[in-house]
Amino acid sequence: MEKLINVARLAQKNSYSPYSKYRVGAAVLTDDDTIVSGCNVESSSYGLTCCAERVAIYSAIAQGHNKFKALAIITKNGGTPCGACRQVIWDLCGDIPIYIVDEKGKIDETTTKELLPKAFDGSLLK
Ligand code: THU
């Protein structure tokens, strides 16, 4: 968990957030214990921005990983994942531990299910 958070902290430094100035770092732990990180990447057309969580998860998938064990997110004030990211985390990672960290190192440990109760998912499309 400590390592995952440290990798997320390093990724936060790469945040491209000239519009909001809200720097977010994320790191996902795969089933083979690889850690893949992401940061938020903003666009001048705000809606095209991609959150750190999704950058991390999509990068991991692009690198050939498809099972995930944990996710860490770091911001200055311990902000929680947005609704869109909660859905993506549920779809691609399932119910995993999520560590939400602030700049002082305070860790709020939660789970996907806690963040997105009664989730919609692909099982409803069968
Ligand atoms: N952001 C994330 O990276 N993750 C979230 O779950 C919440 C929001 C980013 C998007 C945008 O670059 C900035 O934080 C402010 O919304």
Side-chain angles (χ1 to χ4, degrees), residues 13-49:
K13 295 187 200 303
N14 297 330
S15 165
Y16 180 75
S17 43
Y19 307 105
S20 74
K21 316 246 187 294
Y22 192 70
R23 306 176 76 80
V24 189
V28 69
L29 179 66
T30 72
D31 63 339
D32 68 359
D33 292 325
T34 302
I35 294 177
V36 181
S37 66
C39 63
N40 56 329
V41 181
E42 296 187 346
S43 167
S44 59
S45 177
Y46 295 173
L48 301 181
T49 291

